[in-house]
Amino acid sequence: MAFTIAIDGPAAAGKGTISKAVAAHFGFAHLDTGLLYRAVGAKTLDGTDPIAASLALVAEDLDNDSLRSPEVAQAASRVAVIGEVRAALVDFQRAFARRAGGAVLDGRDIGTVICPNAEAKLFVTASAEVRAERRYQELIAKGTQTSIETVLADVRERDARDRDRAEAPMVAAKDAVVIDTSSLGIEDAVAAAIAAIEAARA
Ligand code: CDP
């Protein structure tokens, strides 16, 4: 049976961690839709046209550690404002969402545009400062040279671009449960997410 869990929210709010834990808990498949935009963004760094890149995307393009870099994150949010790029990625996401056995998709517009009829919707957020600190620690752990000021500026710039764009702006769906992880540890955030989804299943 199909069951779609939509998890949206801004950069580094904890969507990825929560989505993976929720998918494991319910035995559902998980799609990090940010990776689609990152893969398109990465291709534009060598001058490839973003719309052509989005139309030519293949599964192997998603399997690349360099997609997690700050440069690719910025490129992703720049290509994500282009309507044709977003349109090229819709069918894949919707097919994934309705696969038998259940699916968790995390992104910016899953509960609003991709799967407005998702059975459960969450919007995971946290203050920009807390999100920047988390992303800074992730980058440092991977050996990336950066500063907390740079990461905070990057998070704020992407937030603004994602929130203010005309196509599929980042916004909580009216029927989404909002989880603010600013002062929640991973276990509590995951427990809050599972409780909200169990309530939607009941
Ligand atoms: O991991 P993080 O939250 O920093 O970013 P991400 O989820 O990998 O997304 C990277 C960028 O892709 C975002 O800043 C958005 O501009 C774009 N994106 C989007 O527009 N729609 C989605 N469903 C997912 C990501």
Side-chain angles (χ1 to χ4, degrees):
M1 221 192 52
F3 188 98
T4 307
I5 301 173
I7 304 186
D8 291 304
K15 295 187 305 292
T17 306
I18 290 175
S19 299
K20 283 194 201 85
V22 160
H25 178 86
F26 291 102
F28 289 4
H30 170 225
L31 176 65
D32 170 359
T33 66
L35 270 188
L36 304 173
Y37 294 90
R38 284 174 182 263
V40 175
K43 284 176 185 274
T44 65
L45 294 177
D46 68 8
T48 301
D49 172 69
I51 298 171
S54 66
L55 291 168
L57 206 66
V58 291
E60 297 81 71
D61 294 334
L62 308 180
D63 190 15
N64 187 338
D65 280 349
S66 71
L67 296 182
R68 294 286 170 202
S69 76
E71 295 73 28
V72 172
Q74 281 290 350
S77 89
R78 285 196 297 269
V79 302
V81 306
I82 304 169
E84 291 92 332
V85 168
R86 305 199 70 84
L89 305 176
V90 166
D91 289 350
F92 175 76
Q93 295 177 81
R94 288 198 177 138
F96 190 97
R98 297 319 287 169
R99 65 198 279 149
V104 181
L105 284 81
D106 74 284
R108 301 291 186 287
D109 63 339
I110 308 304
T112 49
V113 174
I114 302 297
C115 305
N117 298 321
E119 284 79 5
K121 296 182 189 179
L122 304 179
F123 191 84
V124 179
T125 188
S127 73
E129 289 75 14
V130 166
R131 291 185 287 119
E133 175 63 26
R134 287 182 189 153
R135 183 52 49 91
Y136 174 72
Q137 295 299 341
E138 279 171 23
L139 290 169
I140 292 297
K142 279 192 291 190
T144 307
Q145 297 277 344
T146 188
S147 68
I148 186 72
E149 291 79 15
T150 306
V151 177
L152 181 57
D154 180 87
V155 159
R156 288 207 161 114
E157 188 182 335
R158 265 195 311 135
D159 281 358
R161 204 185 285 126
D162 292 349
R163 202 187 305 117
D164 297 341
R165 68 187 176 211
E167 293 276 343
M170 173 178 70
V171 61
K174 287 194 176 61
D175 50 350
V177 174
V178 178
I179 299 177
D180 188 325
T181 67
S182 300
S183 53
L184 290 182
I186 291 173
E187 277 186 27
D188 289 340
V190 169
I194 290 172
I197 296 159
E198 292 287 13
R201 260 156 72 101

